[in-house]
Amino acid sequence: MAAFRALVAMVAITALIPETRRSLSWRAGVVGIGYAGAGLLFVLANKLTTAANTVFLQATNPLFVVALAPWLLRERVTARDVRFMGVLALGLALLFVGGGRHFATAPKPLLGNLLAAGSAVAWAFTVTGYRWLGRHGRDPRGAVASAAAAGNLIVFLVSLPWALPLAAGRPADWLVVLYLGVFQLGLAYVFLSRAITEVPALEASLFLLVEPVLSPVWAWLVHGETPGPLAVLGGVVILAATAYRSRTDTQVVAA
């Protein structure tokens, strides 16, 4: 799943964003390592813990962006940012305490939760790296896309030994892999590559938290995964804090 989703995504990104081919550099490769770590850990976590825990834990990546942005980007972190991070940390703690429920689709929730948290750290490096690329290249959009393409290539190469020998698979299985590569990753990066160079790293990571709103709902409807009360509370804390932050940011800009 990880190997061939990444291969399809690399081809899709290169085809949909022509600047990718003109912006390959060592910097893109460095950021691609962070991307690869986030993608691999996310897939592994999603096989071991619930979809809700995976996506909510990865949604705590702004915690780590706050630590990285001043160091790598010299972007100022305000007291308001720190208070927001404190609320996210509370949500993270609730997820770990209440996210240990076992399902057929979540056989090792504690290990899965740890991997999902690792994915959040890797994604924070990736988002921060995208901003770094935007400052050091003449074509920021191409640089971001080339980093994503490089990251997907790394995921493919690292995962391939475990993907072989190939099982025949049903046509529906390969269609799902194709969909994940083209739409979930490829087309998403068309939009992300346009946006990431226009907003601060923290704001970019916050906008990407829209995904957690529906992911647990689909997992409940399709797989019957029902997160425990504390895990639900942790997710609500994370989403509520993000919604409040986004609303107040919009009011500040409007003023």
Side-chain angles (χ1 to χ4, degrees), residues 193-219:
S193 66
R194 289 182 178 272
I196 196 68
T197 58
E198 304 298 328
V199 297
L202 179 59
E203 301 305 316
S205 65
L206 294 178
F207 277 113
L208 294 174
L209 295 184
V210 173
E211 178 188 10
V213 175
L214 287 179
S215 183
V217 176
W218 297 127

Side-chain angles (χ1 to χ4, degrees), residues 7-229:
L7 178 63
V8 172
M10 182 191 68
V11 174
I13 291 169
T14 305
L16 294 170
I17 309 174
E19 297 92 333
T20 303
R21 299 185 292 274
R22 301 192 296 268
S23 302
L24 290 173
S25 66
W26 68 268
R27 288 189 174 91
V30 170
V31 178
I33 293 172
Y35 173 99
L40 281 170
L41 290 171
F42 185 87
V43 171
L44 291 171
N46 204 35
K47 304 296 280 187
L48 298 175
T49 189
T50 63
N53 282 9
T54 303
V55 75
F56 283 142
L57 284 166
Q58 197 190 47
T60 61
N61 70 83
L63 271 171
F64 310 106
V65 171
V66 164
L68 293 173
W71 174 42
L72 296 177
L73 301 176
R74 302 294 187 267
E75 290 182 355
R76 188 170 62 92
V77 175
T78 66
R80 180 167 167 266
D81 293 333
V82 174
R83 290 194 296 270
F84 175 71
M85 294 307 109
V87 177
L88 283 187
L90 173 62
L92 175 65
L94 288 170
L95 281 170
F96 266 102
V97 172
R101 305 183 75 184
H102 291 259
F103 296 91
T105 53
K108 298 181 179 179
L110 179 57
L111 177 58
N113 290 347
L114 290 172
L115 293 175
S119 179
V121 175
W123 184 245
F125 271 101
T126 305
V127 172
T128 306
Y130 285 161
R131 289 286 292 169
W132 176 62
L133 286 175
R135 293 181 178 183
H136 289 86
R138 289 176 294 181
D139 182 4
R141 182 187 178 206
V144 169
S146 65
N152 278 297
L153 178 60
I154 294 170
V155 171
F156 172 69
L157 294 175
V158 170
S159 303
L160 186 60
W162 286 272
L164 298 175
L166 280 179
R170 299 169 301 171
D173 297 330
W174 289 105
L175 285 174
V176 169
V177 171
L178 186 67
Y179 165 79
L180 291 173
V182 173
F183 291 94
Q184 186 205 13
L185 293 179
L187 189 59
Y189 272 88
V190 173
F191 296 114
L192 182 60
S193 66
R194 289 182 178 272
I196 196 68
T197 58
E198 304 298 328
V199 297
L202 179 59
E203 301 305 316
S205 65
L206 294 178
F207 277 113
L208 294 174
L209 295 184
V210 173
E211 178 188 10
V213 175
L214 287 179
S215 183
V217 176
W218 297 127
W220 170 59
L221 291 174
V222 175
H223 297 298
E225 292 180 358
T226 52

